[in-house]
């Protein structure tokens, strides 16, 4: 099994038709604070965090770890996307299903343009090359309709639903198609 954490980071930026996926830099700090302070972004993620607390605690370069991508359109950061070790995330975990988990946060003004689908598909494609045959899991509240539609578009399939944090959670898995022989 290949582990994402063993990879040299930052990886080279990934370019799609409209986006750049790249490792985090100091200039992304403001967007990282905005993403965590936004009531809309955090509506299904336990609520926003106080901006003053984020201003104090956010590292100079946020999210410096393998699998953490900043998504840029036209030179501006519009969101972040994470491929993280599933077992290190809090809550309901299923190491028997996969070792890596996908997460995503986009600024509300960037919703409804297909950017999240484009970015996540490119990141999953990159992951399939880096860790061939490895599955990826995704957890999201089933009430989070945008996230549920995104999961379906990306090809995640339901493993189970369960209750956590007072709400129904959806647990899905994605596996890259085997490369043709
Ligand atoms: C979840 C989230 C990333 C989804 O964002 P999104 O904008 O709905 O998803 P996409 O970027 O893929 O955009 C898809 C929408 O853009 C529309 N669209 C417009 N132009 C498009 C284009 N050129 N190409 C593709 N889709 C386009 C699609 O029709 C689709 O709309 P629909 O869902 O109403 O049918 C976003 O809502 C978010 O960041 N939420 C907060 C964080 C969160 O809840 N994360 C989940 C926990 S991991």
């Amino acid at each position: 099994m290949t582990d994402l954490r063993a990879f040299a980071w930052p990886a080279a930026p990934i370019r799609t038709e409209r986006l750049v996926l790249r490792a985090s830099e100091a200039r992304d700090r403001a967007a990282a604070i905005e993403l965590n302070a936004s009531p809309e972004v955090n509506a299904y993620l336990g609520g926003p965090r106080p901006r003053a607390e984020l201003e104090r605690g956010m590292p100079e370069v946020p999210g410096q770890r393998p699998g953490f991508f900043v998504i840029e359109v036209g030179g501006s950061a519009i969101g972040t996307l994470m491929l993280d070790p599933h077992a290190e995330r809090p809550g309901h975990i299923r190491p028997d299903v996969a070792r890596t988990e996908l997460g995503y946060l986009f600024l509300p003004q960037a919703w409804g343009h297909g950017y999240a689908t484009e970015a996540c598909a490119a990141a999953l494609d990159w992951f399939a090359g880096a860790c061939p045959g490895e599955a990826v899991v995704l957890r999201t509240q089933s009430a989070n309709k945008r996230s549920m539609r995104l999961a379906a578009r990306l090809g995640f399939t339901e493993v189970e639903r369960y209750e956590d944090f007072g709400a129904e959670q959806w647990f899905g898995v994605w596996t890259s198609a085997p490369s043709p022989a």
Side-chain angles (χ1 to χ4, degrees):
M1 273 194 199
T2 323
D3 192 316
L4 198 56
R5 284 168 294 183
F7 275 77
W9 195 261
I14 301 168
R15 290 173 199 283
T16 68
E17 203 181 322
R18 298 179 293 175
L19 310 171
V20 178
L21 285 65
R22 57 164 177 79
S24 184
E25 298 173 10
R27 64 185 159 121
D28 301 316
R29 194 172 183 272
I33 291 172
E34 195 54 43
L35 285 165
N36 285 282
S38 160
E40 288 135 294
V41 173
N42 295 281
Y44 301 100
L45 300 171
R49 286 175 55 198
R51 193 174 287 274
E53 185 187 293
L54 289 163
E55 294 282 2
R56 276 195 306 276
M58 184 65 68
E60 196 181 327
V61 180
Q64 268 187 307
R65 60 180 190 268
F68 184 104
F69 292 97
V70 170
I71 317 303
E72 213 178 71
V73 62
S76 302
I78 56 161
T80 55
L81 181 162
M82 293 72 68
L83 285 163
D84 282 325
H86 175 53
E88 289 176 14
R89 293 257 189 109
H92 183 86
I93 58 160
R94 290 285 305 268
D96 58 314
V97 177
R99 302 193 312 165
T100 304
E101 180 168 355
L102 174 68
Y104 35 73
L105 301 171
F106 283 72
L107 292 169
Q109 59 268 32
W111 297 1
H113 299 279
Y115 292 144
T117 302
E118 191 171 320
C120 292
L124 289 170
D125 199 44
W126 172 84
F127 179 81
C131 303
E134 290 280 321
V136 176
V137 293
L138 171 67
R139 288 178 289 175
T140 189
Q141 271 193 37
S142 53
N144 188 348
K145 296 300 177 205
R146 281 188 174 275
S147 183
M148 290 289 284
R149 289 200 294 273
L150 173 59
R153 278 193 295 271
L154 293 170
F156 280 84
T157 55
E158 181 172 328
V159 174
E160 61 175 323
R161 293 179 187 228
Y162 60 94
E163 288 286 321
D164 215 353
F165 312 112
E168 186 187 71
Q169 310 289 329
W170 187 87
F171 191 107
V173 67
W174 170 95
T175 315
S176 61
S179 43

